[in-house]
């Protein structure tokens, strides 16, 4: 189900730990695992009812997954589906694939992700690699910008 109400689908403003219940519109997460899971789950889902609670659960359960290597260690336990209450193997595979891209690009932190997205050369390489992941559309790429705190000037409508 697609919800066309952009305000209902945008994440809430988040603090440095990735959680906050403020009503302001988000500019992102300071947690690599949260960015990957949020970007993966957002397709055709209501943000506040479906995506945000799962991402908040992930941040709470896996605070050490704020880095790509920490997220990888947690993913390797095979418990992501339980942590985020998401049984669909397709979305879980997409999380794995996006994480592999961050690993292959040497992106360990959200600061490094922002840096890569802010540099024209590395941005093009990263977006191409992420775009090769199944279900990562140009809108999802722009959404990753938003989640990492990079301004794109465009709104996500998925």
């Amino acid at each position: 189900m697609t919800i066309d109400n952009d305000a209902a689908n945008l994440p809430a403003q988040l603090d440095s730990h990735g959680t906050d219940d403020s009503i302001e519109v988000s500019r992102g997460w300071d947690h690599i695992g949260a960015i990957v899971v949020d970007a993966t789950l957002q397709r055709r889902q209501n943000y506040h009812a479906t995506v945000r609670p799962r991402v908040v659960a992930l941040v709470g359960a896996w605070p050490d997954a704020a880095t790509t290597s920490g997220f990888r260690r947690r993913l390797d336990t095979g418990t992501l589906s339980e942590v985020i209450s998401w049984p669909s193997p397709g979305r879980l595979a997409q999380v794995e694939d996006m994480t592999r891209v961050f690993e292959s690009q040497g992106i360990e932190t959200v600061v490094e992700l922002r840096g890569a997205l802010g540099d024209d050369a590395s941005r093009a390489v990263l977006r191409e690699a992420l775009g090769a992941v199944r279900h990562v559309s140009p809108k999802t790429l722009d959404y990753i910008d938003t989640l990492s705190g990079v301004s794109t000037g465009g709104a996500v409508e998925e």
Side-chain angles (χ1 to χ4, degrees):
M1 176 171 128
T2 301
I3 304 295
D4 291 329
N5 180 352
D6 288 341
N9 288 316
L10 291 174
Q13 181 69 32
L14 304 171
D15 64 18
S16 65
H17 301 289
T19 58
D20 190 347
D21 289 326
S22 116
I23 59 170
E24 295 179 34
V25 173
S26 171
R27 293 295 172 230
W29 298 99
D30 190 23
H31 190 284
I32 288 287
I35 289 172
V36 172
V37 169
D38 192 319
T40 299
L41 297 184
Q42 58 82 30
R43 181 174 39 91
R44 292 191 212 118
Q45 299 296 322
N46 177 282
Y47 186 82
H48 292 288
T50 304
V51 179
R52 186 173 189 278
R54 286 168 170 82
V55 177
V56 168
L58 173 85
V59 170
W62 291 1
D64 55 322
T67 62
T68 301
S69 59
F71 191 47
R72 167 54 62 205
R73 281 190 298 278
R74 290 298 196 146
L75 286 177
D76 288 347
T77 67
T79 60
L80 178 63
S81 64
E82 290 85 24
V83 171
I84 64 171
S85 299
W86 196 275
S88 167
R91 303 276 177 125
L92 298 173
Q94 186 179 354
V95 166
E96 282 283 343
D97 293 343
M98 288 178 66
T99 302
R100 276 191 213 100
V101 169
F102 285 177
E103 291 168 328
S104 72
Q105 299 296 312
I107 295 169
E108 180 66 11
T109 66
V110 175
V111 170
E112 291 173 2
L113 176 58
R114 269 193 302 265
L117 292 170
D119 175 75
D120 290 339
S122 60
R123 177 182 179 80
V125 171
L126 177 58
R127 286 177 62 100
E128 183 177 341
L130 285 169
V133 173
R134 185 178 173 145
H135 298 299
V136 175
S137 69
K139 284 183 181 180
T140 303
L141 294 171
D142 289 345
Y143 189 54
I144 291 168
D145 284 347
T146 300
L147 293 174
S148 63
V150 174
S151 176
T152 62
V156 173
E157 296 176 10
E158 293 187 79

